[in-house]
Amino acid sequence: MIAKVWYRSEIELSIDDKYEVLTGESEKKHYLKVIDWLIPVWNFRYPDYKNSQMEVNERSFYFLKWKLPISYVEQTIFEKEQIEEKRSEDEAKKLALQQAKRRLKKSIPIDAEIIDEKILHERVEHGKVKLTIYYTVLEDIVKRQTINQGD
């Protein structure tokens, strides 16, 4: 049985957006780790990145089946930068509507169809766009259950 079901969604999205991206610049440093001490083997200088992110890859050494207290450590240091993006109120509203629709699609059944959306309330406060949206969705509301006949 297909029925109209209403969903209410509230979403807020910042007009000023800040995020970090990797620039593509990186440097690798190589160490031998003995117990808890790192001994530099290659590339002794530390890069002069303003912001960075480090990825560590450690490989242990074995003698037959026993793990030795020595390992090889490779550090990759990536440069990252912070990007600040200012959106207009209309752009923020469109993006908020897209995010709300994506969030709704995750919570409804796959075969459901969104047939209507109405913005009930829209306001801009403290640098954020806040929306209250009602969605009309056609979905199958029948839930199949087994009937237990008893003894």
Side-chain angles (χ1 to χ4, degrees):
M1 173 180 219
I2 304 293
K4 283 185 182 179
V5 181
W6 292 273
Y7 290 93
R8 181 175 182 233
S9 177
E10 292 182 10
I11 190 162
E12 66 180 51
L13 186 73
S14 178
I15 292 175
D16 298 325
D17 196 12
K18 295 178 187 175
Y19 54 93
E20 294 179 336
V21 294
L22 297 177
T23 63
E25 295 292 320
S26 68
E27 286 203 23
K28 291 189 181 218
K29 298 173 69 66
H30 305 273
Y31 298 94
L32 270 181
K33 183 177 178 184
V34 180
I35 305 173
D36 285 331
W37 294 331
L38 286 175
I39 302 166
V41 175
W42 186 257
N43 195 0
F44 302 106
R45 71 178 189 89
Y46 196 82
D48 56 346
Y49 300 146
K50 187 175 177 183
N51 293 319
S52 63
Q53 175 178 324
M54 185 181 303
E55 184 178 291
V56 178
N57 187 8
E58 183 174 350
R59 286 183 232 134
S60 299
F61 292 114
Y62 290 89
F63 178 71
L64 299 176
K65 63 178 180 176
W66 296 284
K67 184 176 178 182
L68 299 175
I70 299 172
S71 60
Y72 167 74
V73 176
E74 180 183 75
Q75 287 181 346
T76 307
I77 303 160
F78 298 98
E79 181 182 28
K80 64 181 179 180
E81 66 180 343
Q82 188 165 352
I83 295 178
E84 295 182 20
E85 191 176 291
K86 184 150 177 90
R87 301 182 184 105
S88 68
E89 288 181 22
D90 288 337
E91 288 173 335
K93 179 181 168 185
K94 286 178 185 176
L95 193 58
L97 284 170
Q98 290 172 358
Q99 286 182 5
K101 193 175 243 182
R102 256 186 268 130
R103 188 185 304 162
L104 177 67
K105 284 182 178 181
K106 286 181 181 179
S107 66
I108 61 176
I110 294 173
D111 59 343
E113 178 187 353
I114 300 172
I115 58 171
D116 190 25
E117 72 179 21
K118 292 204 187 295
I119 299 174
L120 295 180
H121 193 70
E122 174 185 345
R123 64 185 183 278
V124 178
E125 288 180 351
H126 309 295
K128 293 183 179 181
V129 172
K130 298 180 180 183
L131 299 175
T132 304
I133 310 161
Y134 255 33
Y135 290 99
T136 306
V137 178
L138 287 178
E139 69 179 66
D140 189 4
I141 60 170
V142 175
K143 293 185 181 166
R144 299 186 182 185
Q145 294 181 342
T146 58
I147 299 174
N148 190 357
Q149 295 286 329
D151 291 333

